[in-house]
Amino acid sequence: QSALTQPASVSGSPGQSITISCAGTSTDVDNYNYVSWYQQHPGKAPKLMIYDVSNRPSGVSNRFSGSKSGSTASLTISGLQAEDEAHYYCSSYTTTSTLFGGGTKVTVL
Amino acid sequence: QVQLQESGPGLVKPSETLSLTCTVSGGSISSYYWSWIRQPPGKGLEWIGQIYYSGRTNYNPSLKRRVTMSVDTSKNQFSLKLSSVTAADTAVYYCARGGVVAENWGQGTLVTVSS
């Protein structure tokens, strides 16, 4: 199974909004509403930011939102802040396992 | 708040078996799925597999032949064994609560495969 496809990098200025895409197929993203997003700062463990496409765990800022259209899921960060600079990974349930995307480096300019 | 801690050898020889344990504190291991996820240095995340507290497992098809997971509810621990390791298995190994959704993560432990 191939990893989900994410852009290698996305950047934005403080206060702006950015969107990270996560492209899958009919056997994963398109077929299940089980897309999650994780934030990872250098040297740290990943942190769950979004689950089941668009749900935020308790304590996660409402500046983070998720959506899905067909086989592509998206994570939007609004009001970009310096602390948002990190790697972001999407994941999706599949018919046989769980897949991760290759990761996107978010840079705050 | 549940906490997870990985433990095990940081260095494993090629062709040998990697063994890690995850100890869960601040909550019961029962009634949840538990996962292992790894991250090679400088690379992305790879799902290894998951185990339910009852012992039911689901593994990454690409690793299935070499992976065994188990759970010990009496110790609130679950474990990973990966056999016939090579340098490509060098990674930070994370344990996490949840199956499809990894809600809480351990800090991770680096396992290097080298002679």
Side-chain angles (χ1 to χ4, degrees):
Chain A
Q1 288 176 304
S2 299
L4 305 173
T5 301
Q6 298 181 234
S9 63
V10 172
S11 62
S13 299
Q16 286 186 331
S17 292
I18 61 169
T19 297
I20 305 167
S21 61
C22 172
T25 68
S26 60
T27 62
D28 40 68
V29 175
D30 195 16
N31 205 31
Y32 302 100
N33 288 324
Y34 294 130
V35 176
S36 300
W37 290 91
Y38 301 89
Q39 176 192 65
Q40 186 180 34
H41 287 108
K44 300 294 186 182
K47 174 187 175 183
L48 178 66
M49 305 300 284
I50 296 286
Y51 66 96
D52 295 354
V53 177
S54 60
N55 293 304
R56 274 188 312 275
S58 174
V60 172
S61 171
N62 59 8
R63 297 187 298 104
F64 293 85
S65 62
S67 63
K68 189 186 83 164
S69 178
S71 61
T72 299
S74 299
L75 173 70
T76 297
I77 309 175
S78 58
L80 199 61
Q81 298 180 1
E83 67 204 48
D84 301 331
E85 185 161 295
H87 278 89
Y88 291 83
Y89 295 90
C90 63
S91 76
S92 175
Y93 178 72
T94 79
T95 50
T96 57
S97 63
T98 296
L99 273 181
F100 280 100
T104 298
K105 167 67 174 163
V106 168
T107 301
V108 181
L109 301 171
Chain B
Q1 174 78 337
V2 67
Q3 293 186 314
L4 299 92
Q5 179 67 58
E6 304 89 351
S7 60
L11 181 64
V12 181
K13 290 182 168 56
S15 80
E16 295 190 343
T17 296
L18 177 160
S19 295
L20 294 174
T21 295
C22 183
T23 300
V24 179
S25 59
S28 173
I29 202 168
S30 298
S31 303
Y32 286 98
Y33 281 93
W34 303 88
S35 295
W36 288 98
I37 296 155
R38 70 180 182 179
Q39 185 171 36
K43 296 187 177 181
L45 301 169
E46 180 180 29
W47 183 79
I48 300 172
Q50 67 187 43
I51 185 166
Y52 195 47
Y53 78 100
S54 63
R56 186 170 71 231
T57 57
N58 186 25
Y59 301 144
N60 185 326
S62 68
L63 299 171
K64 187 174 184 176
R65 182 179 53 85
R66 300 192 291 132
V67 172
T68 302
M69 293 183 185
S70 60
V71 63
D72 187 336
T73 55
S74 67
K75 294 182 179 179
N76 237 30
Q77 295 177 333
F78 61 105
S79 300
L80 167 71
K81 290 187 186 300
L82 181 66
S83 64
S84 304
V85 297
T86 69
D89 295 310
T90 293
V92 174
Y93 285 76
Y94 294 100
C95 60
R97 187 177 80 172
V100 174
V101 179
E103 308 165 18
N104 304 93
W105 297 60
Q107 65 184 25
T109 186
L110 174 63
V111 179
T112 301
V113 178
S114 175
S115 55

